[in-house]
Amino acid sequence: MTRVRNIELVHFTRALELFPNDPEVLFFAASAHEAFAGARTQSVMRSIKVPRDVSFGVQDEDAELRLAEQLYKRAIERNPNHLEARIRLGRVLGLRGRHKEAVDLLRQGQVATEPVLQYYAHLFLGSEFEALGNGADARQSYERAAALAPAAQSPLFGLSRLADQAGDREGARELIARVFALAAGDEERVDPWWVYEIVQARSLDGLLADLHRRIAALPK
Amino acid sequence: MTTRLVAAGVVVLMGGAVAPSAQQPTFSAKRESVRVDVLVTDRGKVVTGLGASDFEVRDNGVPQTVELVSFQQIPLNVFLAFDVSSSVSGERLMHLQNAGHALLDRLAKDDRSALLTFSHTVLLREGLTGATARIRQALTDVQPYGDTALVDGAYAAIMLDPLDGGRNLLLMFSDGLDTASWLTPERVLDSAKRSDFVVYGVSSRGPEDSKFLEDLTELTGGTTLKIESTRDLSATFLKILDEFRQRYLISYSPTGVPAGGWHRLDVRVKGRRVMVKSRAGYQAGA
């Protein structure tokens, strides 16, 4: 369901009741709250009127980010090698204005072996360094993200904005020209940022297969 | 020589350098010129016939002498930045294309136009050109799909500023919520301070969801028009174009204010109770 952006809190809540210390359950519950803090969900929540006694369980952006932070931290406590949780926690802390803590976590996430996770770590580091006023490191991070995903527009936007902020309007324009020069077709033009809210679901097939194996191995 | 010193919706025409290397340099009088696009209305109707002496301009609170007012004289650079995400399909797309064509029909001979579209991808369909037929074709070829990256689209459009001292109108249309942009609204608004655009927005979203567009248009001296449906989009676009054409372009040489940093602008018409709309200020220097 996460894969098709149908994130239902009830399933995560029940899973947490059953397996409160499972790092994967904690991780997925955290990512649900991170998604709920995003514009897509928050806009829907603003636009619908519900009776006083009805609740969808979604809170405002700050509260959802706070929940996501708590759950990611618990996931990392249970599994310190969970680099994806570290990267996501880094982003959440950045959104909460704690940029130095965010940088520490994202740096740890840089060593992830999956290119998509490396991309997120570098992309988010670019933003966090920018927030800290560290233009040189921000530029380097965005450049690394751009190298990992040459068809992605987000690192180029980040680089352009950095140039503009530094007073280099011509440089900023050249970087946007690079965005315009990217392939127009949706198949060639892939930016992992666009699927950030659902990308964690990519591992679910493996987790389910592992679950089935374990169940099959149980004594009859 | 005409050189841009400051790009923030205000062009500085520079005959020489800024005052050198003092701790807080100030503009040297009679050397640079700041231009401001101004709309004057009285109970909703555009006020015409004003001259330089009718305007009162304060730059960071310091009164300035308005030197030049032009009205409907300078050709327009009209940048269209349209949301073509999946929500703009079927009838909405037809309305958007018709509205774009209607606006292009209304351009004058020397006006130029450009078309940028954004879904989750940001595409420059056609750069600034006087060949309206190319814009028309590009608009006709648009196929809606995907999510909406309004903030990234706005930033890319701002970077298209031709830096030629022309009058730049950026008309942004969006019916979607931004779910795909990388850049934050705050960062793009900061870049808009250094641009030369007056941005007009057309949105069908509620106030919370169109806050970025409202902030951007307010900052650059434009307006966001809310629409209930796209059925009357042509009339809305034409209203924007007509209004933009009727704006004054005033200029002054800044005196008594620092050369760099953010300059807050306050433009009024002397002795008349009219509405004056101009950009909130401009960013001088880097």
Side-chain angles (χ1 to χ4, degrees):
Chain A
M1 291 173 85
T2 299
R3 201 174 288 160
V4 292
R5 286 205 162 98
N6 187 357
I7 302 170
E8 289 196 20
L9 197 58
V10 62
H11 301 306
F12 296 105
T13 305
R14 182 68 184 133
L16 279 173
E17 286 169 4
L18 292 171
F19 307 104
N21 294 315
D22 185 288
E24 290 304 325
V25 170
L26 288 162
F27 170 76
F28 279 102
S31 67
H33 286 292
E34 186 184 2
F36 290 160
R40 203 184 298 267
T41 303
Q42 291 294 317
S43 171
V44 171
M45 298 315 294
R46 279 196 299 269
S47 65
I48 52 176
K49 286 181 183 152
V50 291
R52 226 178 259 173
D53 54 344
V54 174
S55 168
F56 289 105
V58 175
Q59 302 180 53
D60 65 25
E61 182 184 347
D62 285 345
E64 289 297 338
L65 287 175
R66 199 165 52 244
L67 283 168
E69 177 187 340
Q70 290 166 3
L71 290 164
Y72 280 136
K73 282 183 170 170
R74 284 173 57 193
I76 293 167
E77 279 169 18
R78 303 301 187 278
N79 178 8
N81 297 320
H82 205 313
L83 294 179
E84 189 167 1
R86 287 182 188 274
I87 292 167
R88 286 180 168 267
L89 178 57
R91 174 175 182 266
V92 166
L93 292 181
L95 290 173
R96 301 196 71 197
R98 287 149 60 186
H99 303 298
K100 284 184 179 168
E101 291 174 74
V103 165
D104 289 343
L105 282 154
L106 291 166
R107 276 183 163 149
Q108 293 161 18
Q110 283 177 301
V111 298
T113 50
E114 269 189 274
V116 70
L117 295 185
Q118 290 175 21
Y119 173 84
Y120 290 133
H122 290 301
L123 187 70
F124 299 155
L125 270 171
S127 179
E128 294 310 315
F129 280 129
E130 184 180 352
L132 290 169
N134 184 346
D137 284 343
R139 194 171 306 109
Q140 194 175 52
S141 297
Y142 279 135
E143 281 168 355
R144 285 181 180 168
L148 284 160
Q153 66 182 28
S154 295
L156 297 177
F157 273 110
L159 285 165
S160 174
R161 163 63 195 159
L162 281 176
D164 192 49
Q165 192 184 20
D168 179 11
R169 178 55 64 103
E170 202 46 51
R173 288 158 62 90
E174 284 169 12
L175 284 153
I176 290 304
R178 281 176 61 190
V179 172
F180 294 144
L182 294 173
D186 211 27
E187 284 180 14
E188 306 91 30
R189 190 158 172 175
V190 177
D191 187 339
W193 167 242
W194 295 330
V195 292
Y196 176 73
E197 277 188 8
I198 56 169
V199 77
Q200 67 278 20
R202 75 196 180 289
S203 61
L204 288 176
D205 288 342
L207 286 171
L208 281 172
D210 186 45
L211 181 66
H212 288 146
R213 267 196 306 277
R214 286 166 191 250
I215 290 171
L218 287 173
K220 302 284 182 203
Chain B
M1 186 181 74
T2 299
T3 309
R4 169 184 297 228
L5 171 68
V6 181
V10 181
V11 173
V12 172
L13 305 171
M14 190 167 70
V18 224
S21 74
Q23 273 291 330
Q24 196 174 36
T26 55
F27 284 104
S28 50
K30 302 296 177 192
R31 296 187 111 181
E32 304 88 20
S33 179
V34 173
R35 304 189 327 169
V36 190
D37 242 297
V38 181
L39 178 69
V40 184
T41 55
D42 185 0
R43 281 162 287 184
K45 291 192 171 172
V46 176
V47 176
T48 59
L50 300 176
S53 60
D54 293 312
F55 286 96
E56 185 180 290
V57 176
R58 288 174 187 270
D59 185 324
N60 274 346
V62 179
Q64 306 291 325
T65 305
V66 176
E67 296 153 351
L68 177 73
V69 171
S70 60
F71 187 76
Q72 292 188 328
Q73 290 164 358
I74 301 173
L76 308 185
N77 296 324
V78 180
F79 292 80
L80 306 175
F82 291 164
D83 177 349
V84 294
S85 60
S86 53
S87 59
V88 186
S89 56
E91 198 178 50
R92 285 182 175 191
L93 176 65
M94 191 180 71
H95 292 155
L96 177 62
Q97 288 170 324
N98 288 344
H101 290 309
L103 181 140
L104 293 169
D105 285 342
R106 190 72 69 91
L107 293 183
K109 189 166 80 53
D110 294 330
D111 293 340
R112 296 185 295 171
S113 52
L115 176 64
L116 175 146
T117 61
F118 55 91
S119 53
H120 50 282
T121 60
V122 178
L123 298 173
L124 179 62
R125 302 275 176 170
E126 197 63 57
L128 195 62
T129 175
T132 311
R134 286 165 55 181
I135 308 291
R136 281 179 198 289
Q137 188 58 52
L139 187 56
T140 304
D141 292 343
V142 162
Q143 293 292 330
Y145 72 107
D147 289 334
T148 305
L150 170 66
V151 176
D152 285 355
Y155 179 83
I158 287 167
M159 289 298 135
L160 290 173
D161 186 341
L163 309 172
D164 64 355
R167 297 185 67 193
N168 298 329
L169 165 65
L170 170 55
L171 196 167
M172 298 201 70
F173 164 80
S174 179
D175 79 336
L177 173 74
D178 195 324
T179 51
S181 285
W182 170 248
L183 295 174
T184 61
E186 296 74 27
R187 288 171 180 171
V188 175
L189 291 172
D190 182 65
S191 284
K193 290 177 181 174
R194 285 182 280 274
S195 91
D196 193 24
F197 280 104
V198 176
V199 185
Y200 278 76
V202 180
S203 171
S204 58
R205 304 293 302 192
E208 289 270 358
D209 292 341
S210 59
K211 186 175 182 310
F212 165 69
L213 205 49
E214 289 185 8
D215 288 347
L216 180 65
T217 56
E218 185 66 26
L219 178 73
T220 59
T223 304
T224 299
L225 300 174
K226 295 288 173 52
I227 54 167
E228 292 296 320
S229 113
T230 52
R231 204 167 294 281
D232 298 324
L233 205 52
S234 294
T236 306
F237 279 14
L238 292 178
K239 181 182 170 192
I240 288 170
L241 182 66
D242 289 345
E243 182 176 298
F244 187 70
R245 242 187 233 295
Q246 295 186 79
R247 295 172 75 110
Y248 293 89
L249 192 62
I250 67 176
S251 74
Y252 66 94
S253 299
T255 52
V257 289
W262 173 249
H263 289 239
R264 183 172 38 81
L265 282 174
D266 182 15
V267 183
R268 295 178 190 195
V269 173
K270 294 175 191 167
R272 292 183 66 169
R273 297 177 71 180
V274 290
M275 286 281 291
V276 179
K277 197 162 181 60
S278 70
R279 63 181 306 116
Y282 66 96
Q283 185 77 33

